[in-house]
Each structure stands twice: as structure tokens, then as C-alpha cells.
Amino acid sequence: WLIGRVSELMIDLHIKKYNYFALVSALLFSISTPAAKLLLNGSSPQMFAGLLSLGQGLGLTIVFLLRKLIWKTDMEREPGLRGVEFSWLAGVVLAGGVFAPLLLMIGLSGASASGSSLLLNTEGILTTLLAALLFGEAVGSRIWFASFIMLVAGVLLAYEPNVQWGISLNALAVLGACFMWALDNNLTRHISAKDPVMIAMIKGLTAGSVNFWIGWF
């Protein structure tokens, strides 16, 4: 019984480790929003978005080359992209690499980091909606309930008594970024079995170059 129980726990931990990766990713992303607000400080949103993506791309290029030349790991044998998968990658680059960071920087240029962080919770809700409505993914009741709780929590935290409701263009830009990242999440799912370092490297270099040159000119 003890051996069987330990085996079940090990299998469960192996499956749940991907949840922990997602939580660490969310933690790092939450840090990036106030940091970006501090660094933006009057600079061009287009150029700053490009620099962020280029930093991602260049950093992962170093990792990619080190992995090829020095770190002889099993990741080298991960399959490359083929056929229609390049179309998914193009969508990922445009949605999550070009438009989403640009819209977020535009939103942050006139909105607070705390308010923008609350609005970024919309990404998870939109990801669920797109997965179910656009990509036909089966979404369970627990996920719908969690999305509803996230929506209610965001509304409660953002609500301020005695303040007139209005539409902020900066808030709309942040929501637009959430929609683009939600689309990015669903598109990435179709190529998630491929080399993640290569995909993120291409995304960063391509999207960063586009936004940087838009900001430059």
C-alpha cells in the first residue's frame, strides 16, 4: 500500500509541476508591470515595447546557442515547426509579440501600474472564452466558476464609491493587450509541443524589431 501511495503522489506531482511553472510565470509577469511603468516614464511606448521584446529574444538567443554548443540536453531533439504550424507561430508573433506589448505600454503611459495590473486579470477570462467559443475547447464548470470569481474580484477591487464611471482610452488599451495575449495563449497551444526556447526567441526577435523600428521612425 505504501509503495502504491508513494507512486501515486509522484505521478500527481509530475502532472502538477506544470501548474507551478504557470504560477511562477504569473509571478514574474506581475513584477514586470510596475517595473515597466517605472521605466516607461515619458519614453515612446512603441520603442519601449520593442526593447522589451528584443531583450527577451536576445536573452533566449544566448540560451539557444549555449544549449546547442555546450548544454547537450534532450531538448535539442524537440521537433521543429512544420507546415501549418508556421501560421500558428505568425499569429503568436503578431498577437502576443507585436500588438499586446504595444497596447500595454500605451495603456501604462497614462494609467497606474496597480490599476493596469487589476485589468490584466481579464487575460485569463478572455483566454477561457476564446478557447471555448473560437477554438472549440471543452471547458469544465470549475474553470468557468474560477473565471467568474476572477471577474467579480477585479470589479470589486477596481470599484471606487462616488467616482463617476467613464471610459478611459488607456484602460481600453490594457484590455486590448489582454485580448491579444488571450489569443496568443490559444494560438500557442497548437505549437506547445515544439521547442519553447526557439518559439519564444523567434517571437521576441521578430516582434521586438517591428515595434522598435516603429518607435524609431
Side-chain angles (χ1 to χ4, degrees):
W1 175 86
L2 181 60
I3 295 176
R5 183 56 180 165
V6 170
S7 299
E8 290 177 2
L9 290 174
M10 293 300 294
I11 294 174
D12 189 49
L13 180 62
H14 176 73
I15 295 174
K16 286 187 176 180
K17 70 178 182 181
Y18 300 105
N19 295 337
Y20 300 136
F21 289 149
L23 288 173
V24 173
S25 175
L27 173 63
L28 294 174
F29 185 70
S30 67
I31 296 173
S32 69
T33 303
K37 175 65 176 180
L38 290 174
L39 294 172
L40 187 58
N41 194 24
S43 62
S44 166
Q46 292 90 343
M47 183 172 289
F48 192 74
L51 288 173
L52 288 178
S53 296
L54 279 175
Q56 167 192 317
L58 292 174
L60 288 174
T61 298
I62 296 174
V63 173
F64 184 81
L65 293 176
L66 287 175
R67 191 184 61 178
K68 286 289 185 182
L69 299 175
I70 301 175
W71 304 335
K72 302 298 182 181
T73 65
D74 293 337
M75 292 182 69
E76 292 180 348
R77 293 191 289 272
E78 292 188 6
L81 298 173
R82 295 179 181 177
V84 71
E85 291 173 337
F86 285 101
S87 299
W88 297 120
L89 178 60
V92 167
V93 170
L94 286 174
V98 176
F99 292 115
L102 176 58
L103 288 169
L104 178 60
M105 292 305 108
I106 292 174
L108 280 176
S109 65
S112 66
S114 58
S116 298
S117 297
L118 292 175
L119 288 174
L120 286 174
N121 285 308
T122 313
E123 179 192 342
I125 303 169
L126 292 174
T127 298
T128 303
L129 287 175
L130 288 179
L133 301 179
L134 192 60
F135 293 93
E137 183 175 325
V139 178
S141 57
R142 291 176 61 192
I143 296 179
W144 284 121
F145 180 71
S147 298
F148 175 75
I149 293 297
M150 290 170 61
L151 177 62
V152 172
V155 171
L156 289 175
L157 288 171
Y159 174 69
E160 294 184 18
N162 303 321
V163 174
Q164 185 176 0
W165 288 92
I167 299 177
S168 167
L169 293 179
N170 296 108
L172 288 177
V174 175
L175 291 175
C178 291
F179 178 82
M180 288 298 169
W181 269 314
L183 183 59
D184 173 19
N185 292 335
N186 282 280
L187 294 175
T188 302
R189 180 178 178 273
H190 294 276
I191 52 176
S192 58
K194 307 301 181 180
D195 186 352
V197 175
M198 182 185 67
I199 291 172
M201 178 186 69
I202 294 173
K203 178 181 177 181
L205 291 175
T206 306
S209 299
V210 171
N211 276 331
F212 179 83
W213 287 111
I214 289 175
W216 180 270
F217 286 106

